[in-house]
Amino acid sequence: MTALPERTDRKLGLVIDLDTCVGCHACVIACKGWNTENYGAPLADADPYGASPEGAFLNRVHSYEVRPAGGDAAQIFHFPKSCLHCEDAPCVTVCPTGASYKRGEDGIVLVNEDACIGCGLCAWACPYGAREMDPAEKVMKKCTLCVDRIYNEHLPQEDRVPACVRTCPAGARHFGDLGDPDSAVSRLVVERGGIDLMPEQGTRPVNKYLPPRPRDEIDVLAPFLDPVDEAPGGFLGWLDRTLERMG
Amino acid sequence: MHPAPSLIVFSTLSGLGFGLLAMMGLGVGDTDGWAGLLRFALGFALAGGGLLSSTLHLGHPERALLAFTQWRTSWLSREAWAAVGALALSGLYAALTLAGTRIAPLGWLAALACFGTVASTAMIYAQLRTVPRWHHWSVPVLFLAYAATGGLVLSGAWAPALLMLGLTGLGQFAAWRGADARVARDPSTVGTATGLGGRGAVRPFENPHTGPNYLTREMAFRVARRHGLRLRSLALVFGFVAPALLLVLPGPAVVIVPLATLVHIGGVMLQRWLFFAEAEHVMALYYGP
């Protein structure tokens, strides 16, 4: 049913730390690997070894340059992006067939691929570009929050998290219940001032992003690191003067 | 947004077809005899052909019947119901009318269903907050005006057709101006999309993928922007000015009406192409301003 649940018992989601992400794309590959072999149709590629390879991915990493006002040096931030499992998910209500739905028990937004007609309207309704049409199966693919891992009792406990979280070598991705104010992820969001993406779209995303911390202050050490010695003394001074004289 | 030919053909032809069927339902122009039969047939062919064209857009058209299930929330599902209702009511009305027993209230009901279908189609676009150019009441109003205009031109009702050509043309001009202003005011930027806007000027440094993908192809279409003004002018000339001039020319209706309709269709198709091609999706902000 494409009506949204009035409330969800839990709000499972991700917290992504933009301060920590190193932009290695390991989460992209882990996601593609797991979701090609498990839930739903495999994530297909078109022309994978040709001149113009492309394919369906549920998680992608952008990189942005931010130039601060005042002329300070620009900074680069890596920005992983996948479904935010919004509380007011516009992709769910537009679906004409009921293929797209949000679960009442944990808030995960899923696609029943057997009922998907591949009209693409849900991808249009999503502000974040979180849904991609599979080039081979012609059904809509999206992040499942690895629903087939997190409840999978055949996996060891440490593997019962989304593949992207399990693989991240930098610890930039966290998984948990954002509806529980005492959960580790909720506390992290409060401590670090976690934010919503495009809040003006009114989607109320469950996933949060932790903004980069302020740059480290290096002013204390800076004078000792001065790279150019304007008036060298001692042996270097003698060498400098001697070389000057040699013209 | 990607201007998919199947969607342009669908919305143009079905809008025209449902507009014509609505006019027949309201009793505008000839509804009986050979002229009536021809107009009903044309209305059903355009509306039905347009609907068939829309299924070309689907990845799995064989599951299309499922689209009737979610009318409580989905405008696409409501459109499916409205279209079936409009075709059924118009079919019944056409059969009775051609048999010589025209029931006016049934025609009005059919007209209401026809306009309801066109409005549902428009609401599929107008509901999308992600496309600021579409997210406005003027979108369904204009879709209805286009359908009524085309229906009147095809009905050969000269005076109302001329009036609606003028009104819809002016409305389209005003809607373009309004949409430009709305898009310029839109609060979403690459800064709000990434949450990094408070730290300085944000721009993409490296995209996640080297080639195009579904997202960039479907929602970051940018070709039309450069020729926007010229294409808009052409759409107004073909859609409204030329058909109006043709209608006031002296000549036999059998020549003038098809000619004016064809020119009008050309203009509407151009307008629909622009409707998609000019529409900016906020997702494209992730790929640059």
Side-chain angles (χ1 to χ4, degrees):
Chain A
M1 213 41 207
T2 55
L4 289 165
E6 296 228 335
R7 56 176 294 283
T8 59
D9 299 335
R10 294 191 294 160
K11 296 177 191 172
L12 294 188
L14 300 176
V15 173
I16 294 171
D17 190 343
L18 297 180
D19 194 63
T20 313
C21 176
V22 295
C24 69
H25 293 242
C27 55
V28 178
I29 302 308
C31 167
K32 178 100 171 178
W34 178 265
N35 287 293
T36 291
E37 294 166 359
N38 294 280
Y39 182 97
L43 286 169
D45 290 315
D47 195 22
Y49 303 105
S52 181
E54 62 171 277
F57 286 78
L58 311 183
N59 176 37
R60 295 187 184 265
V61 179
H62 292 251
S63 297
Y64 294 97
E65 177 205 69
V66 179
R67 281 170 299 143
D72 282 351
Q75 279 183 287
I76 301 293
F77 297 109
H78 304 292
F79 186 88
K81 179 164 68 65
S82 54
C83 173
L84 308 175
H85 299 280
C86 302
E87 291 187 59
D88 276 334
C91 55
V92 169
T93 50
V94 298
C95 176
T97 68
S100 202
Y101 63 104
K102 184 172 174 72
R103 307 206 317 175
E105 64 266 39
D106 52 17
I108 300 180
V109 177
L110 288 174
V111 174
N112 171 8
E113 293 175 5
D114 293 335
C116 176
I117 56 173
C119 68
L121 188 56
C122 55
W124 287 10
C126 172
Y128 309 108
R131 290 171 168 246
E132 298 187 19
M133 188 86 78
D134 188 85
E137 288 294 324
K138 303 293 179 198
V139 293
M140 199 52 77
K141 301 297 294 185
K142 68 173 296 301
C143 162
T144 67
L145 214 57
C146 284
V147 69
D148 47 357
R149 286 177 69 100
I150 59 178
Y151 298 116
N152 193 335
E153 290 176 4
H154 299 292
L155 295 177
Q157 189 63 46
E158 65 268 28
D159 283 336
R160 291 183 209 167
V161 291
C164 56
V165 175
R166 186 73 180 93
T167 208
C168 179
R173 305 178 70 98
H174 307 270
F175 165 72
D177 179 8
L178 287 142
D180 171 7
D182 294 325
S183 69
V185 280
S186 294
R187 289 203 307 271
L188 191 57
V189 169
V190 172
E191 272 169 36
R192 295 277 308 281
I195 56 150
D196 290 347
L197 302 185
M198 277 197 264
E200 69 277 10
Q201 284 280 331
T203 53
R204 297 199 293 145
V206 168
N207 285 13
K208 305 289 179 211
Y209 282 73
L210 305 180
R213 294 180 177 93
R215 290 180 107 173
D216 293 338
E217 292 290 335
I218 56 169
D219 285 350
V220 183
L221 288 174
F224 301 102
L225 300 172
D226 211 354
V228 180
D229 198 346
E230 296 294 346
F235 172 70
L236 281 178
W238 171 81
L239 194 61
D240 185 45
R241 287 190 300 277
T242 308
L243 289 169
E244 269 315 306
R245 275 201 296 277
M246 285 171 71
Chain B
M1 304 296 287
H2 171 61
S6 58
L7 289 184
I8 294 170
V9 169
F10 155 64
S11 79
T12 306
L13 295 190
S14 76
L16 189 64
F18 282 119
L20 177 58
L21 289 177
M23 291 308 150
M24 303 295 281
L26 295 173
V28 178
D30 294 328
T31 52
D32 50 7
W34 284 108
L37 179 65
L38 189 69
R39 289 203 171 104
F40 274 122
L42 190 62
F44 285 112
L46 288 169
L51 288 172
L52 279 181
S53 154
S54 76
T55 62
L56 295 178
H57 183 69
L58 302 179
H60 283 276
E62 77 279 6
R63 300 173 185 160
L65 281 180
L66 286 171
F68 287 94
T69 61
Q70 303 301 318
W71 50 271
R72 285 183 195 82
T73 63
S74 168
W75 280 105
L76 185 47
S77 189
R78 288 171 197 162
E79 181 199 34
W81 276 107
V84 168
L87 290 177
L89 285 170
S90 299
L92 185 62
Y93 169 73
L96 289 173
T97 304
L98 292 171
T101 49
R102 174 168 178 263
I103 304 171
L106 180 63
W108 302 337
L109 202 61
L112 191 68
C114 289
F115 282 130
T117 310
V118 175
S120 304
T121 305
M123 282 309 293
I124 293 172
Y125 306 114
Q127 70 178 333
L128 297 174
R129 195 185 272 204
T130 49
V131 185
R133 197 173 280 279
W134 291 349
H135 190 55
H136 197 249
W137 56 265
S138 61
V139 169
V141 169
L142 263 181
F143 267 64
L144 287 170
Y146 269 96
T149 308
L152 286 169
V153 171
L154 268 177
S155 299
W158 306 110
L162 282 172
L163 179 69
M164 279 308 289
L165 281 170
L167 284 178
T168 309
L170 286 175
Q172 177 63 76
F173 181 75
W176 274 327
R177 298 289 300 269
D180 289 344
R182 195 161 61 248
V183 169
R185 281 199 308 272
D186 192 67
S188 293
T189 62
V190 65
T192 66
T194 58
L196 297 169
R199 320 173 72 85
V202 185
R203 69 171 182 182
F205 177 72
E206 203 168 37
N207 281 342
H209 42 97
T210 49
N213 72 352
Y214 174 75
L215 299 174
T216 57
R217 213 176 295 110
E218 189 77 4
M219 285 170 269
F221 187 86
R222 285 176 184 176
V223 171
R225 316 269 162 90
R226 203 152 51 90
H227 299 297
L229 195 62
R230 256 165 288 179
L231 290 172
R232 285 179 182 184
S233 311
L234 285 174
L236 288 181
V237 167
F238 283 108
F240 306 104
V241 180
L245 286 177
L246 281 169
L247 287 185
V248 294
L249 280 180
V254 277
V255 181
I256 296 284
V257 168
L259 203 58
T261 306
L262 282 178
V263 177
H264 176 69
I265 289 178
V268 177
M269 284 208 168
L270 193 50
Q271 182 267 336
R272 289 294 144 88
W273 190 85
L274 282 167
F275 179 76
F276 290 101
E278 286 192 315
E280 305 87 346
H281 196 289
V282 293
M283 190 287 303
L285 293 169
Y286 286 106
Y287 289 91

